[in-house]
Amino acid sequence: MSELRTLTIRILPQPGESLDSWLEALARRSWTSLSALVDALSLPMAERTHYLLVGLAAPQLQSLEKQLALPAGQLDQAVVPADIFGHRAPHWRFCPQCLREVQGRWPTRWWLPWSFACTKHHALLHNVCTNCHKEPREFLPRPVHLHPAEHCMRRTGRRSICGTDPTAAPLLELAPQHPLLQAQHKLDSLFIVRNMSAESVFAAADTPFSTLLQSLSLSDLQGMSEIFQRTWERSHKEATSPTSPFGSWRTRERGRRLLTPDFLHREYTIKKKTLRGIAEEYELSAKQVILRAQELEIEIYRGNRPQPIDNDWLRQQYLLRVRTAEDIAQDVGVSTSAILNRLEKLGIPRRPMGVRSRPALTAKLDKSVPLDIRAAVEGTLHGWLRLRRFQICMAFPTATTAATYLGVTQSVLALQLDQLEHDIGAQLFYRPGRHRSQRPTNRGTTLLQHLKDSRVQELMRHSLGSNIEPMPGRDVLTAAARTVDGAHAALTTLHPDTPICHLRVPSPLQPLLHHLLADDDQETYAARIHTATGIPFNTVYKQLKRLEEAGWLTSRLESRAERPGSARRRTYYSLTAAAQRAAARIPATPATSAAARPPVEPVDTSMPANFVEPAPCNRVG
């Protein structure tokens, strides 16, 4: 096997310089790209820079030292132990003044997560490029020989780079005795070699870093510029974030010191906090707290904690009062299975399924209670609940608005009311079409009067307890009425001899209706309405047809004598007598006045002989 070939042009690495920075300088000196140099040195090519710092094995470094005729072990300070950071690499930072002095060479310490200041120039390190606002050197630069060493090599396109000179960035100066500089002096003195473990490295770095965070006061951070504050916050977040290797180690170490048996007994057992709540309160991971509790053999409750229940009280409720386990669980605030488990531990046999386990099915009301109420309650489950919901539903104009107030779906409410009518044996209310007001039948009106009786109300409250649903207030009913009488409401049908009880005019029809009422002394047609109001032709035809079907308008087709020639005849509309009587009840809408309407260009209403008016739409809008 032939020996390794050595390079003719060589550059010695500077003290503390990172491996990728030294290889970049060697590629520039050899006038070649960094990728070509890495390939020539038989090194693995990677996209990210940190792979050269943590991903090379000892034989690869020894081979590299031999190829470049370096003393054995010289490159040990240019890399970082692989088991410290792994794939979750820190971010590069830089001091503009240092880069200018060393012609763009990057020391390894700028890559460590606890490096945030330059002790030589008394300044905070930058963590992003001032132009592209990206981390410098995150990706391995390729054509380094084509650009100066001090330029940002972050790619902005397929064939372009940022090219900003980082040495021109402003110097974020600090006072000589600033706590950040004092802590950085101690952190820079840490000696890291390849065979060090992550535990020893992080423990050595955590001591001055934790001291800094404890001693750093608001006065030390006041007066900072905006870029200064952003730079420090980003550096601090990276070092303390639980997702970073160093921050994750600090979280685990702090949890190990905090999660003592006495602490967990006080917070979890006595104060009854959840393990996840403890983790959030003390900024720990939930997994760490749970594993620590399991390690200390503390009983962990997967659901709600068991409530203290008096055994004699439970026997009395279940055996003597014949209450169901579901009702007892609801009073105590636990699950039904918890009550059943307690009964099993006490040796109390469960009642058989069926009527005997449901006291409501066998309960009888006094004969003085109205017959319909007794029919709805006796021999049924949830009879009082259905009666209450019927009482609430009849207060609303539609079942849809009532279901929204009760927090149930309309289908569920319909099934409950159908069951109530089945139990009573009579229809209780009329079910009109969509968006129409509902009203009770004579039987339903009588039932509602019985439900208002004080004695019946007392029986209902005793049965439903705290679950009784309150009656809606006036504001809720007003909002429900507006929903019914909204844009999609049904238009009131007018009859010549029937008085108007409740007038409903949807808001889309009101502009047209106001225009017709303003000119109620003459006939009109669609083209004239469009010219005067600006309403689109199709909308005019739909609304006119809708008003005519509801008894608001009458129409007639123009005769041949009125419109000679071959042109299509117009359809004239006029208000009915019932519509004129209802006009006084229609509220005035400022938005439909002539002043509020958008200006319409004047149109010649005298149509030529060959004008063909569009055919009216037969569909009701």
Side-chain angles (χ1 to χ4, degrees), residues 45 124 169 222 290 296 392:
M45 192 63 195
L124 196 68
Q222 289 177 349
I290 294 173
L296 298 175
I392 293 175

Side-chain angles (χ1 to χ4, degrees), residues 32-171:
T32 185
S33 65
L34 182 57
S35 56
L37 178 64
V38 170
D39 183 66
L41 295 175
S42 301
L43 295 177
M45 192 63 195
E47 285 292 328
R48 297 186 178 272
T49 310
H50 79 272
Y51 186 83
L52 292 177
L53 294 176
V54 299
L56 299 183
Q60 291 176 309
L61 283 179
Q62 294 172 2
S63 174
L64 187 59
E65 290 171 345
K66 187 174 182 180
Q67 285 178 287
L68 299 175
L70 297 177
Q74 185 170 355
L75 295 181
D76 289 347
Q77 297 181 3
V79 294
V80 178
D83 61 338
I84 293 183
F85 300 108
H87 295 291
R88 293 183 178 179
H91 297 147
W92 282 100
R93 301 179 182 86
F94 65 92
C95 171
Q97 191 67 24
C98 290
L99 280 180
R100 187 181 302 111
E101 294 176 358
V102 297
Q103 290 80 41
R105 311 287 280 271
W106 293 68
T108 308
R109 69 174 185 274
W110 285 354
W111 186 72
L112 300 176
W114 47 79
S115 293
F116 42 80
C118 175
T119 57
K120 180 179 180 181
H121 300 102
H122 299 167
L124 196 68
L125 297 180
H126 287 266
N127 46 37
V128 293
C129 173
T130 56
N131 180 41
C132 62
H133 302 289
K134 302 291 184 180
E135 174 201 346
R137 305 187 64 79
E138 180 181 5
F139 298 97
L140 204 65
R142 300 299 177 89
V144 294
H145 60 298
L146 302 179
H147 304 278
E150 296 84 4
H151 282 195
C152 174
M153 297 293 295
R154 184 81 181 212
R155 281 178 288 183
T156 57
R158 189 172 181 180
R159 297 180 180 275
S160 60
I161 64 170
C162 174
T164 304
D165 186 3
T167 62
L171 195 66

Side-chain angles (χ1 to χ4, degrees), residues 313 317-319 321-325 327-328 331 351 357 359:
W313 176 84
Q317 299 295 316
Y318 190 74
L319 297 177
R321 296 189 58 185
V322 200
R323 296 184 62 188
T324 63
D327 293 339
I328 299 173
D331 285 351
R351 288 192 297 269
S357 63

Side-chain angles (χ1 to χ4, degrees), residues 147-317:
H147 304 278
E150 296 84 4
H151 282 195
C152 174
M153 297 293 295
R154 184 81 181 212
R155 281 178 288 183
T156 57
R158 189 172 181 180
R159 297 180 180 275
S160 60
I161 64 170
C162 174
T164 304
D165 186 3
T167 62
L171 195 66
L172 306 178
E173 294 185 273
L174 293 168
Q177 300 301 322
H178 199 279
L180 293 177
L181 291 177
Q182 296 178 6
Q184 192 64 65
H185 272 293
K186 299 177 181 179
L187 292 169
D188 289 345
S189 63
L190 299 179
F191 185 71
I192 302 177
V193 295
R194 287 185 54 85
N195 57 356
M196 292 183 67
S197 64
E199 185 74 21
S200 59
V201 174
F202 289 159
D206 184 57
T207 301
F209 190 80
S210 299
T211 304
L212 168 66
L213 297 183
Q214 294 173 3
S215 61
L216 199 63
S217 62
L218 293 176
S219 60
D220 296 324
L221 302 177
Q222 289 177 349
M224 291 183 175
S225 63
E226 183 178 356
I227 185 174
F228 197 115
Q229 293 180 3
R230 289 200 307 266
T231 303
W232 163 245
E233 289 174 0
R234 183 168 178 173
S235 302
H236 174 265
K237 181 179 180 180
E238 180 184 341
T240 57
S241 173
T243 59
S244 66
F246 181 53
S248 176
W249 179 88
R250 296 184 74 249
T251 301
R252 292 196 305 270
E253 188 66 17
R254 185 164 52 86
R256 186 183 62 82
R257 295 192 299 266
L258 180 65
L259 300 176
T260 61
D262 294 338
F263 173 83
L264 286 177
H265 177 73
R266 181 181 70 253
E267 299 292 324
Y268 184 67
T269 307
I270 298 178
K271 296 184 179 180
K272 298 182 179 181
K273 297 180 181 179
T274 63
L275 294 179
R276 293 187 180 275
I278 295 174
E280 292 177 0
E281 182 179 354
Y282 293 94
E283 297 181 354
L284 302 172
S285 66
K287 182 179 180 180
Q288 180 183 7
V289 178
I290 294 173
L291 292 177
R292 181 58 175 167
Q294 293 175 346
E295 180 184 347
L296 298 175
E297 298 181 354
I298 296 176
E299 184 179 3
I300 300 176
Y301 303 104
R302 300 299 179 184
N304 296 329
R305 297 171 184 264
Q307 298 289 336
I309 304 174
D310 184 76
N311 295 333
D312 295 335
W313 176 84
L314 181 60
R315 287 190 180 94
Q316 179 186 12
Q317 299 295 316

